[in-house]
Amino acid sequence: MKMSLKRFVPVLCTGLLIAGGCAKQQAVKADQPIAPSTTTQQVAAPTQAKPAESKPAAAQTTALPDSTIKSEGLAQGQAASSKAAAVSQALEKIYFDFDSDVLSDTARKTLAANFDKLKAMGNVKVRVEGNCDERGSDDYNLALSERRAQAAVKYLASLGIPASRLSFIGYGEEKPVDAAHTENAWSKNRRDEFTISK
């Protein structure tokens, strides 16, 4: 029995080494399709000299439309971002009382005006950004700013803006409009802003 184990262990170890080597070869084989395609292109180019010479000419003729398309796409992207900025500026902010997420009558009128603008703008998506003044803990202000943003989202949805076009985020006290430590400054910071989201 001891003799057969002594013979079996080296055979087992050799088998494991071979199996491990095979696994590595399979991993290399999986990467190989990338290399032959570049090699095939290099081999094909010298044997077919005339088609290879004609390909750069075709590439030159298509290069101009590609660059034109890219510049048109860039111009369209800039126009879209300019439109988004204009839409964001057209939407008015709403303001809240101290330590409150309840929409005032003034805020409801502003949201109704924003609704009319959004309805006329098609399918733009809007993110409502809630904010607080500096008073209160960071965690409390973050939660309060989210509730303020949610209140505006719910009201816009009740007016008829599809929920798929609306999102919200709370920034707490991180984005003050006025950094002064006065009641006037704090009243400006307790707000919801509306931005076009992508």
Side-chain angles (χ1 to χ4, degrees):
M1 186 75 172
K2 289 182 180 179
M3 195 62 138
S4 62
L5 279 177
K6 287 182 181 179
R7 288 183 186 167
F8 180 71
V9 171
V11 171
L12 180 63
C13 291
T14 304
L16 289 174
L17 288 175
I18 290 171
C22 290
K24 289 181 184 175
Q25 288 176 352
Q26 288 173 355
V28 172
K29 286 182 184 177
D31 292 339
Q32 286 179 352
I34 296 171
S37 64
T38 56
T39 318
T40 308
Q41 289 174 354
Q42 291 173 353
V43 172
T47 57
Q48 299 173 356
K50 290 183 181 180
E53 291 171 6
S54 64
K55 283 182 183 177
Q60 288 175 355
T61 57
T62 57
L64 290 176
D66 286 344
S67 62
T68 304
I69 290 170
K70 288 179 184 176
S71 64
E72 287 175 1
L74 182 61
Q76 289 174 353
Q78 290 173 344
S81 70
S82 297
K83 182 180 176 184
V87 170
S88 293
Q89 290 175 353
L91 299 174
E92 296 179 43
K93 301 173 188 173
I94 61 172
Y95 297 92
F96 293 87
D97 291 331
F98 174 70
D99 197 26
S100 175
D101 59 6
V102 175
L103 297 172
S104 65
D105 290 339
T106 305
R108 289 176 192 269
K109 288 177 186 174
T110 302
L111 286 171
N114 285 348
F115 165 75
D116 290 336
K117 293 172 189 174
L118 288 170
K119 194 169 63 171
M121 292 176 194
N123 291 325
V124 296
K125 294 187 177 183
V126 179
R127 182 177 64 220
V128 181
E129 301 175 345
N131 295 274
C132 292
D133 62 35
E134 64 186 336
R135 297 173 290 178
S137 70
D138 290 345
D139 291 338
Y140 181 82
N141 284 342
L142 187 61
L144 178 59
S145 66
E146 286 180 3
R147 289 195 311 272
R148 287 175 174 170
Q150 283 177 333
V153 165
K154 287 178 185 175
Y155 192 76
L156 287 171
S158 73
L159 293 175
I161 299 293
S164 61
R165 291 177 55 193
L166 299 169
S167 63
F168 68 89
I169 188 168
Y171 288 115
E173 61 192 72
E174 296 301 314
K175 293 188 170 188
V177 171
D178 191 335
H181 307 290
T182 63
E183 184 56 47
N184 186 37
W186 293 331
S187 66
K188 293 176 189 174
N189 293 334
R190 297 189 302 262
R191 71 198 188 283
D192 279 349
E193 294 185 1
F194 304 87
T195 60
I196 300 307
S197 63
K198 297 180 180 180

